[in-house]
Amino acid sequence: MIAGAAAVRSRMRPGVHRAIAGAALAAALAGLLGAAWVTHAARTPDTAQIETLAQQAGAGRDDITMQRLRQIAEHDDGAIAPLLLGEALIARNTAEAFREGLAWLAKAAAKDDADANMALGKLHFLGTPFLARNYPAAYRHFAAAGAKGHAGAAYYLGLMLRNGYGVRENQAAAARWFALAAEKKSAAAMFMLANAYRDGDGVAPDEQRARELYVEAAEMELPEAIQALAMAYRNGELGLPRDEMQARHFTLETAHALKHPALVP
C-alpha cells in the first residue's frame, strides 16, 4: 500500500505537490498559532455578524461563541463589540457574568457610546440582584446618552426629574426631556408629556395638546394612553364630550393593547 501511494505521488504534477505541502503547512501553523489566527479572524465581522454572535453567546449560552466575542471586543477600536459583549454577559444572569458584562459596558460608555450609557443607566436605575439601585449613577449615564439625543435616556431623565429620583425635582426640565423623547416617537414619553400638559406640570396647561399626545401614544398601543382616553370620554375631559360608547370602546382597546403593549424604553 505504501509503495502504491508513493507511485501515485510520483505521477502528481509539481503544482499539486506544492498545494498539498502548502495545506500541510497551513494546518501546522493553525495548530501552533491557533489563538493568533482566531484573534486575526475576530477583527473582521461586521455589526450584523457581531449581533448574531452576541445572541448566541448570551441567550444561547454558547461558551465558544462568547470567547470569540471577547476576542472581537478586545480588538475593537469602537464601542459596538464591547457593548454587545457586555449585554450578552449580563443576559447570562449570573453574578460572575454580570460583573464582567458591567465592565465591558463601562468600556463602551467610556467611548461616549449612547447605547452603552443607556444600558448602564437602566441597570443603576432599576437595580438587579447583582447591583444595588444607584440613582446618581443612573442620572450620570442617562445624561451622557441624552446629550447625544438618545430617546430612551431622555425618557428616563424626564422620569427622574419629574419624581426627584436622586436629583432635585424639576417639572420644567422633565417636560423638556419628555418632549425630546416624544419627538423621537417614544410612546411612553408622549404619555408623560400629555400628563404634563393636562396638569400644567412644567408647561402651560393645554388640554388640546394633551389630547393629541394621548391619541398619538394610543395609536402606538400604549395601554395607559388608551385608558386615559377612555376616562376622558367617560368624564367629559380634555375637551371631549361625555360618550359612554366611546369610553367602552377605548376600555376594550386598552384590554387588547395590554396583550402586546408598546415597548417602554
Side-chain angles (χ1 to χ4, degrees), residues 173-248:
R176 287 194 295 272
W177 283 114
F178 286 139
L180 188 153
E183 289 172 4
K184 295 177 178 291
K185 303 304 179 184
S186 167
M190 292 172 190
F191 175 75
M192 296 303 297
L193 186 59
N195 290 343
Y197 277 112
R198 182 194 63 199
D199 301 330
D201 287 337
V203 292
D206 187 335
E207 286 191 339
Q208 179 179 338
R209 182 62 181 137
R211 185 175 67 250
E212 291 169 351
L213 286 161
Y214 284 134
V215 169
E216 192 171 355
E219 288 174 348
M220 297 175 70
E221 300 202 25
L222 186 76
E224 297 90 337
I226 302 171
Q227 181 64 31
L229 290 171
M231 296 302 296
Y233 274 112
R234 179 158 290 132
N235 300 320
E237 299 167 341
L238 298 175
L240 295 171
R242 287 180 181 270
D243 188 329
E244 188 59 29
M245 185 175 293
Q246 285 282 45
R248 290 177 182 176

Side-chain angles (χ1 to χ4, degrees), residues 40 57 67 100 120 172-173 219 225 228 249:
H40 174 74
Q67 183 57 28
E100 184 185 355
L120 286 168
E219 288 174 348
H249 166 74

